[in-house]
Amino acid sequence: MDAKKRIFSGIQPTGNLTLGNYIGALRNFKLLEDEYDCLYSIVDLHAITIRQDPAQLRKACLRTLAIFLASGLDPERNIIFFQSHVHEHAELAWILDCYTYMGELSRMTQFKDKSRKHADNINCGLFAYPVLMAADILLYQADLVPIGSDQKQHLELARNIAERFNALYSDTFVVPDGYFPKVGARVMSLQEPTRKMSKSDPEDTYIAILDPADIIRKKLRRAVTDCDAEVRFDPENKPGVSNLMSILSALTGQSLESIAADFSGKGYGIFKDAVADAVIAALAPIQQNYEKLSADKAYLESVMRSGAERASALAMRTLRKVHKKVGLAPAKL
Ligand code: TRP
């Protein structure tokens, strides 16, 4: 019997994953391999809730997969797949739409934010985005879902939908919990350090995993700090410096106190260079792997195919159960 708990996580295929994605997510995925059964889905169906250029999206999807593999995720020990390759996601999402209220979806802060940002394209997919996310999770009976704080409301909705369905039709879905890794600080924007580092912001605010060394150094040198020239951890009053300290600490394992002591009286220039050295050293092996992997289309395709097959086998079981509970006629009488 398989007693391992199951983890599901979805990642948007922006193709331009950041240092924040690496420290906050990717790096931890590797540590989870032993303890959990993990599924990682590149959520391309979520991506099209915003208008995408097809050629760009196709490239971004492959790039995201290659970065996953390059950062050390083992495709044999984890199930890595594209959401659109497992049709059960869209099918379960439709069914769950019928168990989700307009009022609930209208309250989602991300929907409100995105509607404001894309006022010319407030489509039904954008509105129902959280239901597709619930389907992603519930389809695999996931126990745990690693998420950032911006996704808490969506996970709460997934729990509510699962509980509602279970109450109506008897136990069907595992009610998932959030998973918040012990290590891995939240990485903030380099220019507006009170906001999360995000690839949808201007380029100089984030470090991309594939950024070359000179660009990384330049971006860090230009990172916003403050004018008291003291390397001290104080996120409230010194958000810029504190962010750089967390990055350095996350990558080197050095404590914040010891970083503060090391750079006491040295000024920000030297400190920023040390952060740049650590970031460049951490990303270099991933970038090298990436170069090799992204040239090997046949390998990427084989990973995609086997990921989709393994995910499908699990997804099918849940969807069949759901059809039965709801009262849909069995396909084979
Ligand atoms: N909405 C998530 C994000 O933007 C991505 C996502 C889609 C997801 N489906 C998921 C995350 C399921 C966790 C579980 O970050």
Side-chain angles (χ1 to χ4, degrees), residues 50-77:
I50 305 293
R51 199 65 76 229
Q52 303 280 350
D53 174 76
Q56 294 282 353
L57 179 61
R58 204 170 293 125
K59 259 198 230 147
C61 284
L62 283 178
R63 204 179 304 142
T64 305
L65 175 64
I67 293 177
F68 265 46
L69 299 172
S71 55
L73 259 190
D74 180 346
E76 313 245 320
R77 303 190 65 200

Side-chain angles (χ1 to χ4, degrees), residues 44-327:
D44 46 3
L45 296 175
H46 276 112
I48 60 169
T49 56
I50 305 293
R51 199 65 76 229
Q52 303 280 350
D53 174 76
Q56 294 282 353
L57 179 61
R58 204 170 293 125
K59 259 198 230 147
C61 284
L62 283 178
R63 204 179 304 142
T64 305
L65 175 64
I67 293 177
F68 265 46
L69 299 172
S71 55
L73 259 190
D74 180 346
E76 313 245 320
R77 303 190 65 200
N78 302 279
I79 301 181
I80 307 170
F81 68 103
F82 286 98
Q83 186 185 32
S84 67
H85 293 180
V86 179
H87 57 79
E88 284 84 355
H89 288 250
E91 293 175 23
L92 181 61
W94 171 259
I95 295 176
L96 297 183
D97 275 336
C98 305
Y99 299 85
T100 309
Y101 299 108
M102 303 282 288
E104 286 177 303
L105 293 179
S106 313
R107 282 196 292 277
M108 295 290 126
T109 54
Q110 193 169 81
F111 172 69
K112 291 190 235 174
D113 286 350
K114 288 192 180 173
S115 304
R116 230 171 283 130
K117 235 169 145 178
H118 305 276
D120 57 339
N121 183 22
I122 306 176
N123 61 70
C124 296
L126 190 66
F127 188 64
Y129 178 115
V131 187
L132 179 58
M133 179 163 161
D136 296 341
I137 299 165
L138 302 183
L139 206 42
Y140 299 99
Q141 308 288 358
D143 302 285
L144 297 170
V145 183
I147 41 162
S149 52
D150 61 323
Q151 296 297 316
K152 273 193 185 156
Q153 201 184 22
H154 289 165
L155 181 64
E156 198 51 42
L157 180 75
R159 291 170 54 88
N160 290 340
I161 295 173
E163 278 165 358
R164 183 173 303 150
F165 196 99
N166 288 349
L168 276 167
Y169 300 109
S170 79
D171 257 3
T172 308
F173 295 121
V174 168
V175 180
D177 283 308
Y179 177 84
F180 305 97
K182 292 155 224 117
V183 285
R186 202 161 113 102
V187 179
M188 313 304 276
S189 158
L190 299 179
Q191 295 300 321
E192 267 182 85
T194 50
R195 298 180 41 179
K196 189 170 138 180
M197 181 178 280
S198 163
K199 56 227 158 193
S200 30
D201 288 339
E203 279 229 19
D204 60 341
T205 65
Y206 67 84
I207 291 170
I209 291 180
L210 299 179
D211 271 348
D214 56 329
I215 302 284
I216 294 176
R217 196 171 296 281
K218 198 149 82 188
K219 286 181 178 173
L220 283 165
R221 280 194 179 146
R222 289 189 189 153
V224 164
T225 47
D226 48 54
C227 48
D228 73 5
E230 193 193 346
V231 177
R232 174 167 52 87
F233 192 74
D234 178 355
E236 202 147 301
N237 300 307
K238 297 168 68 69
V241 170
S242 303
N243 184 35
L244 297 180
M245 288 177 78
S246 317
I247 293 174
L248 187 57
S249 167
L251 294 178
T252 60
Q254 194 181 355
S255 72
L256 296 167
E257 298 78 44
S258 137
I259 291 172
D262 272 6
F263 293 96
S264 146
K266 287 201 179 136
Y268 289 156
I270 291 175
F271 170 58
K272 284 177 164 178
D273 265 337
V275 179
D277 290 341
V279 173
I280 292 165
L283 297 183
I286 302 174
Q287 297 180 351
Q288 282 157 12
N289 287 340
Y290 175 83
E291 288 308 320
K292 266 185 257 147
L293 283 164
S294 58
D296 194 347
K297 294 281 179 296
Y299 175 69
L300 291 179
E301 260 167 40
S302 75
V303 169
M304 258 191 255
R305 209 173 314 118
S306 96
E309 272 168 21
R310 290 161 67 202
S312 269
L314 298 170
M316 216 162 59
R317 273 194 253 165
T318 303
L319 189 66
R320 215 176 270 153
K321 197 154 103 177
V322 168
H323 276 210
K324 210 159 142 192
K325 298 249 179 158
V326 171

